[in-house]
Amino acid sequence: MEGLFFNVNNGYIEGIVRGYRNSLLTGQHYSNLTQCETIDDVKLQLAPAYGDFLGALPPNPSTSALAGKMTDKLVAEFRYLLAQATGSTARFLEYLTYGYMIDNIALLITGTLHERDTRELLERCHPLGWFETLPVLCVATNIEELYNSVLIETPLAGYFKGSLSHQDLDELNIEIVRNTLYKNYLEDFYKFITTHSDLKGTPTQEVMAEILEFEADRRAINITLNSFGTELSKQERRKLYPEFGKLYPEGSLMLSRADDIEAVALAVSISADYKAFFDAVGLTQGGSGIGGMGGNSDGKSLEDLFYQKEMEMSKIVFTRQFTPAVVYAWMRLKEQEIRNITWISECIAQNQKERIGNFISVF
Amino acid sequence: MSGAVGREAVFPTRQSLGLMKGKLKGAEIGHSLLKRKSEALTKRFRDITRRIDEAKRKMGRVMQIAAFSLAEVSYAVGGDIGYQVQESAKQARFRVRAKQENVSGVFLPHFESYTEDSINDFGLTGLGKGGQQVQRCRETYARAVETLVELASLQTAFVILDEVIKVVNRRVNAIEHVIIPRTENTIKYINSELDELDREEFYRLKKVSNKKQRDVAAADLEIQASREREAQKQLTGAADKETPDAPDVLGEQEDTDVIF
């Protein structure tokens, strides 16, 4: 039924995104890239996919410049999609940008707290997280003003409301603010795709709910693992867990009480997927401590496995039709591709070829 | 060489000779002391050079690993965390203590690094994702900075020692090739001057004594002459009175034999 009228409004966008998807690099491309000797070779290899954007780069560009140009392409393509979208799809696409907005706002708040020139901060903001009132944040000189007059005008106002007051902005570590916002954002997004009348009961709800649940669980696990050994208390930690996902509520409760990696492994064992990840990186045996979390013998860390899973889920999204979720999947895949290329070019630039295969390619 | 260094402007007296001899002795002692100091410093210097070489190689390796771990962070976090870390770092976690070390009278600064484990300003960076990589990267960079601090302390010591060794060597060479030859020259000069004076004095004395002898001889002659003259005078007076010619009994002329 949802397929009947989908293409009237959104068929063009879906077509475009599927076209974009076809330009994603495949395993063949990656194996070509890993053979490169210099960044220029990488640039040459990327020419079919990124040609017009990389053309302006000087010979032997830095990897960050390369990544910047690739991000520019992603931004340009996404903006085009956003301009084409209408109705609930447009709303859906806006939701995608909120994550970047949170990063930008966290950046600006950090700058304001330390009384930096916020104008130069604007240049560092992620272009996808740009919104009209973002430059206005520069006007605010102190946190109270920022909160009362500026933040409530932003699309993120709802995420601040109820969970953060301006006193919090002063005292809380910006990282906690960011994660609180992100939690609220994920919950709101989840609510949007499960309750919005246009999306409820469509493939969008199915695939996005799965992806968002995974995202929520991943955040909860990461926050727990990363908070060991810091001054983050268990109550505060619990407030950062998104209140949905496969681990919610029992797993979240167990995570919030976890003191070490074994407890985390126990908490996530209610989900077979995560248990498999923990088994794969050997965290369940214990004894490896924090230092062992980074990676094991084959160089895969927990984060890598999460990324891998995310990419596979994103790939599967393309098997569904009549849904804007492909845009989300395409963005994630594209971001991973940029990370992969950055990693490969870093390895080439630093002449550390032995770990060059440590990227994630799903096509 | 020794001919070119000349001598000091002193009066060739016995007093200055004594002074010069003292000076020469002092210079020789100073020379051997400085030489030993220079040797000790050079030994140290070589040691430091070797350690700098090692530290530089280590730095190369460590910095490479550190840069790579930063690449890992940017891969895991998927963005730039530089600004966030800059802003949230308020106190130095990695600190350096400076000490002084005495190597044969030269004060070499020595830097010692230590970490304040209680300070953990950006422990929450990458809380959502990549936190472990951030922490690991920090540890790698802490090790890299440790190597840099070690290298800095060695380099400073290197520069200072280099300077000091140059000064000491210059002194050693100056004493060896200028002061000692010059003092020796001066002593030689004073000695030769004194000898010259001695010879002059001797000659003068000889002359004086010659003259005196001549004078004495002349006076003797005169006295003799006057005595002779007087004796002549007396002799001529007596001859007038007595028989002038007594026959020489021991003479050649034949006497008539006396027969008993």
Side-chain angles (χ1 to χ4, degrees):
Chain A
M1 181 60 199
E2 73 276 353
L4 200 54
F5 297 112
F6 182 83
N7 282 349
V8 174
N9 286 322
N10 306 311
Y12 179 65
I13 290 177
E14 197 181 340
I16 291 282
V17 173
R18 283 176 193 276
Y20 286 160
R21 176 209 173 280
N22 284 341
S23 72
L24 288 172
L25 300 182
T26 62
Q28 177 65 40
H29 286 117
Y30 281 121
S31 67
N32 283 346
L33 282 176
T34 53
Q35 304 296 315
C36 292
E37 292 294 329
T38 62
I39 303 288
D40 272 341
D41 290 349
V42 174
K43 212 172 104 180
L44 197 68
Q45 289 288 339
L46 293 175
Y50 289 93
D52 42 345
F53 280 86
L54 298 185
L57 284 174
N60 269 326
S62 69
T63 49
S64 55
L66 195 66
K69 287 290 175 194
M70 290 188 287
T71 314
D72 284 350
K73 184 168 195 292
L74 169 67
V75 172
E77 288 174 347
F78 182 78
R79 287 211 175 123
Y80 181 69
L81 292 177
L82 194 60
Q84 300 293 329
T86 55
S88 58
T89 310
R91 185 97 183 85
F92 180 85
L93 294 189
E94 274 166 22
Y95 265 108
L96 295 189
T97 63
Y98 288 172
Y100 303 98
M101 286 186 193
I102 290 171
D103 282 346
N104 286 352
I105 283 181
L107 184 73
L108 285 180
I109 291 176
T110 320
T112 318
L113 274 176
H114 295 93
E115 288 166 359
R116 291 299 153 108
D117 182 13
T118 33
R119 251 160 259 286
E120 74 183 57
L121 293 180
L122 286 177
E123 289 165 21
R124 294 167 175 270
C125 288
H126 196 289
L128 276 186
W130 189 269
F131 50 92
E132 264 180 45
T133 48
L134 188 64
V136 184
L137 286 168
C138 296
V139 178
T141 49
N142 60 32
I143 289 297
E144 204 174 328
E145 199 181 326
L146 186 76
Y147 185 78
N148 285 336
S149 60
V150 187
L151 281 180
I152 52 165
E153 297 291 326
T154 67
L156 301 176
Y159 307 147
F160 278 97
K161 231 180 277 169
S163 55
L164 292 166
S165 64
H166 65 82
Q167 282 95 351
D168 286 340
L169 290 185
D170 249 346
E171 289 150 17
L172 250 63
N173 191 311
I174 190 66
E175 219 21 63
I176 296 174
V177 173
R178 184 207 299 267
N179 282 291
T180 313
L181 289 179
Y182 212 88
K183 171 211 164 194
N184 291 344
Y185 155 65
L186 279 180
E187 284 171 2
D188 188 38
F189 197 4
Y190 190 71
K191 208 174 113 222
F192 169 71
I193 55 142
T194 48
T195 59
H196 193 274
S197 57
D198 283 353
L199 299 174
K200 199 175 172 194
T202 63
T204 313
Q205 189 195 342
E206 284 172 45
V207 293
M208 281 313 292
E210 196 190 346
I211 288 177
L212 288 177
E213 277 169 9
F214 170 74
E215 181 71 25
D217 294 341
R218 178 167 82 162
R219 285 197 82 79
I221 294 170
N222 271 335
I223 287 171
T224 316
L225 288 178
N226 290 336
S227 68
F228 293 149
T230 62
E231 66 265 35
L232 191 68
S233 73
K234 284 181 184 170
Q235 284 80 17
E236 282 172 343
R237 195 166 80 197
R238 193 170 177 197
K239 279 192 231 154
L240 301 179
Y241 298 150
E243 293 181 352
F244 64 99
K246 287 182 197 160
L247 294 179
Y248 183 78
E250 298 90 355
S252 300
L253 191 65
M254 283 163 85
L255 278 181
S256 71
R257 292 184 181 158
D259 279 320
D260 49 22
I261 301 160
E262 277 100 278
V264 178
L266 191 70
V268 300
S269 61
I270 54 175
S271 162
D273 279 344
Y274 307 140
K275 191 170 187 302
F277 292 161
F278 273 70
D279 288 341
V281 293
L283 291 184
T284 39
Q285 278 89 39
S288 55
I290 298 278
M293 269 195 289
N296 62 351
S297 51
D298 60 349
K300 289 270 188 226
S301 67
L302 195 58
E303 305 246 4
D304 286 342
L305 291 173
F306 277 136
Y307 274 134
Q308 178 85 38
K309 172 83 178 158
E310 189 184 18
M311 289 308 105
E312 274 159 12
M313 287 167 87
S314 300
K315 187 184 171 188
I316 290 168
V317 171
F318 280 97
T319 62
R320 311 297 291 255
Q321 231 177 336
F322 310 128
T323 166
V326 288
V327 182
Y328 181 90
W330 164 73
M331 268 181 79
R332 289 287 166 269
L333 287 168
K334 198 78 178 168
E335 280 188 335
Q336 181 62 37
E337 180 179 300
I338 292 171
R339 271 204 300 274
N340 285 344
I341 293 171
T342 316
W343 173 255
I344 290 171
S345 39
E346 282 282 354
C347 286
I348 290 169
Q350 299 189 17
N351 216 357
Q352 300 244 345
K353 290 287 189 65
E354 63 266 29
R355 290 186 60 194
I356 200 166
N358 211 6
F359 55 84
I360 295 159
S361 159
V362 286
F363 288 109
Chain B
M1 180 79 192
S2 59
V5 291
R7 57 175 169 80
E8 283 169 49
V10 286
F11 288 109
T13 58
R14 290 208 180 270
Q15 194 190 7
S16 56
L17 180 68
L19 272 178
M20 279 300 134
K21 278 189 172 158
K23 194 173 170 185
L24 181 65
K25 200 160 195 177
E28 269 160 5
I29 291 170
H31 175 250
S32 79
L33 276 177
L34 280 176
K35 190 119 189 161
R36 256 184 284 161
K37 179 178 175 180
S38 149
E39 271 157 17
L41 290 180
T42 314
K43 183 171 169 286
R44 181 79 183 191
F45 187 68
R46 294 223 177 94
D47 182 45
I48 284 178
T49 319
R50 191 175 46 75
R51 273 162 59 197
I52 284 181
D53 182 53
E54 275 169 20
K56 280 205 170 152
R57 280 167 208 277
K58 191 177 161 202
M59 180 192 75
R61 282 195 306 276
V62 170
M63 288 308 274
Q64 198 176 18
I65 295 168
F68 198 65
S69 77
L70 188 62
E72 268 176 25
V73 167
S74 60
Y75 178 74
V77 179
D80 190 18
I81 57 158
Y83 188 77
Q84 204 191 331
V85 171
Q86 264 174 45
E87 287 304 328
S88 54
K90 294 179 199 73
Q91 279 175 299
R93 176 181 156 93
F94 192 91
R95 295 173 184 219
V96 174
R97 216 185 266 129
K99 283 200 307 193
Q100 278 199 326
E101 206 183 337
N102 193 340
V103 178
S104 10
V106 185
F107 286 102
L108 296 179
H110 186 254
F111 302 122
E112 214 179 52
S113 54
Y114 64 102
T115 44
E116 291 269 338
D117 284 330
S118 57
I119 296 168
N120 195 357
D121 272 341
F122 53 94
L124 291 177
T125 303
L127 191 61
K129 51 183 175 179
Q132 290 129 43
Q133 273 81 359
V134 173
Q135 298 306 319
R136 273 204 304 152
C137 181
R138 182 175 72 177
E139 274 158 33
T140 332
Y141 266 96
R143 274 204 295 284
V145 176
E146 224 167 82
T147 319
L148 286 184
V149 168
E150 197 188 317
L151 189 60
S153 116
L154 286 174
Q155 292 270 37
T156 324
F158 181 83
V159 171
I160 292 174
L161 264 187
D162 187 43
E163 198 80 357
V164 171
I165 285 176
K166 263 188 208 151
V167 169
V168 170
N169 276 345
R170 209 179 296 139
R171 280 185 194 155
V172 169
N173 286 340
I175 289 178
E176 191 178 330
H177 294 295
V178 179
I179 292 182
I180 290 181
R182 178 188 288 188
T183 317
E184 277 170 349
N185 262 10
T186 315
I187 288 171
K188 226 185 276 167
Y189 161 73
I190 292 172
N191 273 337
S192 71
E193 286 296 300
L194 286 178
D195 284 354
E196 184 77 20
L197 278 179
D198 273 355
R199 271 198 299 278
E200 257 174 36
E201 190 70 16
F202 182 67
Y203 187 71
R204 199 165 56 86
L205 286 178
K206 225 158 89 183
K207 276 274 183 212
V208 167
S209 67
N210 267 356
K211 178 100 168 71
K212 268 188 182 158
Q213 265 174 1
R214 260 208 322 275
D215 285 355
V216 169
D220 281 356
L221 268 176
E222 212 159 300
I223 290 166
Q224 219 179 342
S226 64
R227 273 194 197 147
E228 259 170 38
R229 265 199 309 276
E230 259 172 57
Q232 202 73 47
K233 231 180 262 169
Q234 279 174 355
L235 209 65
T236 47
D240 287 343
K241 282 180 256 171
E242 57 191 285
T243 40
D245 223 352
D248 187 4
V249 268
L250 300 175
E252 287 293 313
Q253 68 267 36
E254 256 342 285
D255 282 333
T256 51
D257 289 347
V258 182
I259 302 162
F260 296 102

